[in-house]
Amino acid sequence: MNNLNQIIILVLTLGFISCNNKKKTESKTGQTTSAVSTNLQVDHFNIWVKNPKTAKKKLTDIGFTSVPDSLSTIHKGQGTTGRYFYFLNNYLELIFVYNPIEFEKNNRENRGLDFAERANFDKNGASPFSLALKIKDYDIEKIPFKKVKYHQEWMNDSESIYSAINSKINLKEPSIFVVYPELESDRFETLTDLKNIPEEYAFVRAFYKHPNGAKKVTHITIISPDLNMETETIQAVNKIENVSIKNGADHLMVLTFDNNAQEKIFDLRPELPLIIKI
């Protein structure tokens, strides 16, 4: 891989942190109710898939722009990669096993994590969904659930991801983990704000522009069967603004864009356990 591609992949992974950290464009709703967490936000969300080509096509067929496969980040040391869809306030990753040997090695070395279980969702009934969270004024002591540390060689010594212990135990729940600030994706208020992306990476602005008109994810609903709604992870996630975890008949994610202003609904099942509202 040449240096330019490495730089591009790094930029895509880190969400243009270097050019935007000085001036964040996150919106604040001003909600004061105690039912809403003021510390946690969704950084991005994952769906484990077995057939990434088919899953990706389901989304591009309804007007979403994907990051080119050639620029899709390979999770070094983890044995996985993804297909990515970027929105103004977060992104979707269709995650799958890329290198089975590396994947198995990582699972042996990190037995407290749930990668193996989630990757085999079709056999064990686990939820195929993950929520990557970020914390305002980052402090791991603010993580409101028991956690296990995850570190890879490419991370700095002081940087680690923290995964909920419950994600290994309660497989019907979505997998929950917290990223550190250097991995957080940036948020843009409007398409005009994409100008903050440096000119040398101007081509990346196109990845946020979708022919179907979708801009921001305004609600994420995750449905799973036989959930225990009283676990500390479920209670913590259900306090995040615009996120709902619910009991239902089957594993399903419902993504609402722009408050469903267009009043369009796309059901992508059975190939992808996803309903899109635009």
Side-chain angles (χ1 to χ4, degrees), residues 11 26 39 45 53 57-58 98 101 104 115 119 140 143 145 148 153 168 181 184 191 216 218 249 256-258 274:
V11 169
E26 296 180 6
N39 287 328
F45 43 96
K53 183 177 180 179
K57 187 174 186 298
K58 293 293 290 187
Y98 173 77
I101 296 174
E104 292 299 328
F115 296 126
I140 63 172
I143 298 175
F145 43 77
V148 58
E153 291 182 2
K168 179 76 171 184
E184 292 178 3
L191 290 173
K216 290 183 179 180
T218 50
T256 302
F257 290 85
D258 310 310
L274 181 64

Side-chain angles (χ1 to χ4, degrees), residues 66-200:
S66 69
V67 174
D69 292 358
S70 61
L71 297 182
S72 291
T73 303
I74 293 174
H75 310 132
K76 186 178 179 181
Q78 188 170 294
T80 62
T81 187
R83 298 294 177 255
Y84 296 86
F85 294 82
Y86 276 75
F87 316 116
L88 292 182
N89 59 339
N90 47 42
Y91 66 90
L92 165 63
E93 176 182 359
L94 303 176
I95 186 172
F96 60 97
V97 177
Y98 173 77
N99 183 328
I101 296 174
E102 189 174 62
F103 183 75
E104 292 299 328
K105 180 176 183 292
N106 186 58
N107 289 328
R108 289 194 302 271
E109 295 174 350
N110 294 279
R111 296 186 180 277
L113 300 178
D114 63 342
F115 296 126
E117 289 82 3
R118 302 295 172 169
N120 288 299
F121 64 89
D122 57 329
K123 298 177 181 177
N124 59 22
S127 171
F129 308 121
S130 302
L131 287 178
L133 307 180
K134 56 186 175 184
I135 299 180
K136 180 182 178 181
D137 302 323
Y138 182 79
D139 180 349
I140 63 172
E141 297 305 317
K142 293 181 180 179
I143 298 175
F145 43 77
K146 295 181 181 66
K147 55 195 177 292
V148 58
K149 182 179 180 180
Y150 178 50
H151 188 83
Q152 283 287 354
E153 291 182 2
W154 55 267
M155 301 176 187
N156 292 332
D157 291 342
S158 61
E159 299 169 347
S160 296
I161 292 170
Y162 289 88
S163 178
I165 289 177
N166 262 3
S167 295
K168 179 76 171 184
I169 300 169
N170 298 322
L171 296 180
K172 294 296 179 68
E173 293 185 9
S175 182
I176 307 298
F177 59 96
V178 176
V179 299
Y180 52 90
E182 286 75 14
L183 279 186
E184 292 178 3
S185 60
D186 268 317
R187 295 160 66 98
F188 301 94
E189 276 302 304
T190 67
L191 290 173
T192 301
D193 290 330
L194 295 175
K195 67 180 184 296
N196 293 325
I197 297 173
E199 283 301 316
E200 60 187 311

Side-chain angles (χ1 to χ4, degrees), residues 249-267:
D250 301 296
H251 293 298
L252 177 66
M253 177 180 283
V254 181
L255 293 181
T256 302
F257 290 85
D258 310 310
N259 298 310
N260 196 205
Q262 299 182 45
E263 299 183 344
K264 296 179 180 178
I265 299 178
F266 302 92
D267 192 333

Side-chain angles (χ1 to χ4, degrees), residues 16 194-195 197-207 209:
F16 316 106
L194 295 175
K195 67 180 184 296
I197 297 173
E199 283 301 316
E200 60 187 311
Y201 302 115
F203 68 95
V204 176
R205 297 168 189 165
F207 303 159
K209 299 173 183 178

